Amino acid sequence: MSDFKLLINGRLEDGDQTMDVINPATEAVFAVCPRASKAQLDRAVAAAKAAFPGWSNTPIAARKAALLAIAQRIQSKADELARILTQEQGKPLADATAEVYGAAAFFQYFANLDIPVKVIEDGQGRKVEARRKPLGVIGAIVPWNFPLILMAFKVPAALLAGNTVVLKPAATTPLSTLKLCEHIADLLPPGVLNVISDANDLGGELTKHPDVRKISFTGSTATGKKVMAGAADTLKRITLELGGNDAGIVLDDIDPKTTAPKIFQSAFQNSGQVCIALKRLYVHESIYDSMCDELVSLANAAVVGDGLQQGTQLGPLQNKMQFEKVKELIADAAKHGKVMCGGDVPERGYFIRPTIVRDIADGTRLVDEEQFGPVLPVIKYSDPEDALARANASPYGLGGSIWSTDLARAHSFAEKMDAGTVWINKHLDLAPNIPFGGAKQSGLGTELGDEGLMEFTQLQVINMAV
Ligand code: NAD
């Protein structure tokens, strides 16, 4: 038995099996979670399919009201949800609380959008309308770094457009999502939103399911490719938000002392487990040493610990696999560069202190791969065009940033960056009204904003003789 339940067809139920969820700060089992079977997944999809005609024909005003009610309910449960999130994910409680309120704000944002019919032509014997219809059942698949906010990239937009949803959180962070859905279950008709948790074994089944019309996926590039392949047979719509290896290019005119704290935050928030974290830093040779020194002193001062403890800035890595991967990358980086500080902490919990590696070059694993952890390679350059070329040489293209006091100069570099989002003098800034998507192998399609909403719809043209 578990305090957490699946939500299928409006009813809370146990999984056909259970699984343990580990608190990464203690490595101890913190809760027992339902583990859905394939039969439960099939029932969730069937419930969503059955609920679709009713929900898609519900006036949009009523769907908006439901989203607003959900936002309020999430806010009213923020303390409970944040504590669960910290214990399953590891992030500091203040960050978890911000994530819960952020998720509520995303529901509010979509509650204020409309999906108007666009008249393309009207006159001279012809009237043409572009309408946006819901697709049907959406499979929403979420990773473990931001379980609630990434859920909120998908669910409110899908529901506003009139779709029904089967939501699947990641195997190591299912609990905050299950609890949130339990709290909002009474605010939607049965079957409109279903949630199942799995042991990393049902994502492929959801992707292949013939009654699912679209997969909205956030996760690694490797799994994204499997989603694309799995969706091919039924020609599902897919939106893929995948991995990144965001470069930051620091031009020669910035002050390292005032800029380093912003860069540090951009690289180490959520212990570096952010798709759009700053993951490689290119710094001009004239300020290279002082920038490295500033980053090292910030790293040494950072408070790393259990997210439930007051004052913790950085929590543990979320799971053992990621912990081992990041340690391996640091060990490899030590062969090619200078590890200035950081490394793992010899205590219980998947803790790695913020790690700065200098005198390291492109062509090493730490620079070329997505580390997804608290370790930042700092790379020296002399020619900014060359730094830009190296930044663009990655197969990833999620985000990037240019740091300079000369906005026009920074803008000219930003335009040439091959990434879905480029920030100037910041990194990691997202909002529900700003469309978000990756270039190259960082993704396919867009989430958030009007553009993201449209991806949960099918374009229908009605062309009339008048
Ligand atoms: P992952 O790809 O291992 O898992 C993501 C989700 O996919 C989980 O729910 C998992 O159970 C499910 N899954 C596993 N196998 C599947 C399959 N065959 N078919 C369908 N679904 C399957 O990713 P992760 O390790 O949980 O997350 C980290 C990765 O996610 C990083 O690469 C990070 O950059 C990326 N990410 C991207 C964004 C973005 O918006 N671009 C946001 C956050 C994280």
Side-chain angles (χ1 to χ4, degrees), residues 141-146 150 153 168-171 198 200-204 207 217-221 223-224 226-227 241-244 274-275 279 322 370 372 398 436 442 447:
I141 302 179
V142 181
W144 45 255
N145 57 340
F146 287 91
L150 294 173
F153 274 45
K168 196 201 80 57
D198 70 335
N200 237 347
D201 53 344
L202 292 180
T207 303
F217 173 85
T218 303
S220 63
T221 295
T223 311
K226 290 186 196 163
V227 170
E241 294 291 356
L242 308 178
V274 188
C275 55
K279 291 178 179 146
Q322 191 62 24
E370 180 185 37
F372 217 62
L398 195 56
F436 175 69
S442 285
E447 289 191 297

Side-chain angles (χ1 to χ4, degrees), residues 170-231:
T172 53
T173 56
L175 301 174
S176 51
T177 306
L178 293 176
K179 195 50 84 181
L180 185 150
C181 290
E182 178 182 330
H183 286 316
I184 65 171
D186 64 315
L187 301 174
L188 293 165
V192 169
L193 174 64
N194 306 272
V195 56
I196 50 155
S197 43
D198 70 335
N200 237 347
D201 53 344
L202 292 180
E205 301 291 347
L206 188 59
T207 303
K208 282 189 303 204
H209 203 294
D211 290 332
V212 173
R213 293 291 304 279
K214 174 187 168 98
I215 294 287
S216 175
F217 173 85
T218 303
S220 63
T221 295
T223 311
K225 290 176 185 178
K226 290 186 196 163
V227 170
M228 197 168 187

Side-chain angles (χ1 to χ4, degrees), residues 308-388:
L308 285 183
Q309 268 160 24
Q310 244 195 340
T312 294
Q313 279 172 275
L314 301 175
L317 278 285
Q318 199 280 316
N319 59 70
K320 190 163 172 45
M321 211 165 89
Q322 191 62 24
F323 179 56
E324 298 299 338
K325 182 188 151 188
V326 174
K327 283 197 294 182
E328 190 185 303
L329 283 176
I330 294 173
D332 186 72
K335 295 183 206 151
H336 306 285
K338 281 194 203 129
V339 179
M340 302 301 292
C341 57
D344 62 310
V345 178
E347 281 165 20
R348 268 184 97 70
Y350 306 137
F351 292 105
I352 295 181
R353 285 200 57 82
T355 304
I356 305 289
V357 183
R358 59 168 288 170
D359 301 325
I360 189 160
D362 294 84
T364 56
R365 286 190 63 195
L366 182 62
V367 179
D368 292 359
E369 294 180 24
E370 180 185 37
Q371 68 275 53
F372 217 62
V375 46
L376 180 68
V378 188
I379 307 131
K380 192 190 287 186
Y381 75 83
S382 45
D383 172 8
E385 292 292 346
D386 175 49
L388 183 69

Side-chain angles (χ1 to χ4, degrees), residues 429-448:
D429 181 23
L430 283 183
N433 60 326
I434 303 174
F436 175 69
K440 298 190 278 184
Q441 292 193 29
S442 285
L444 200 70
T446 306
E447 289 191 297
L448 304 181

Side-chain angles (χ1 to χ4, degrees), residues 157-169:
L159 295 180
L160 178 74
N163 303 284
T164 55
V165 176
V166 176
L167 167 65
K168 196 201 80 57

Side-chain angles (χ1 to χ4, degrees), residues 40-113:
Q40 286 179 308
L41 167 73
D42 287 341
R43 281 204 286 113
V45 174
K49 187 179 178 188
F52 177 67
W55 183 247
S56 56
N57 284 309
T58 299
I60 192 166
R63 300 202 297 260
K64 290 177 171 203
L67 295 187
L68 282 178
I70 289 172
Q72 280 165 9
R73 185 70 60 78
I74 294 171
Q75 286 167 346
S76 75
K77 302 290 180 186
D79 290 347
E80 179 197 13
L81 292 172
R83 287 188 73 81
I84 295 170
L85 181 55
T86 288
Q87 289 173 88
E88 67 176 348
Q89 205 285 329
K91 66 186 64 186
L93 193 55
D95 294 357
T97 304
E99 181 169 345
V100 175
Y101 281 104
F106 278 48
F107 275 85
Q108 270 163 350
Y109 165 75
F110 282 105
N112 286 306
L113 292 192

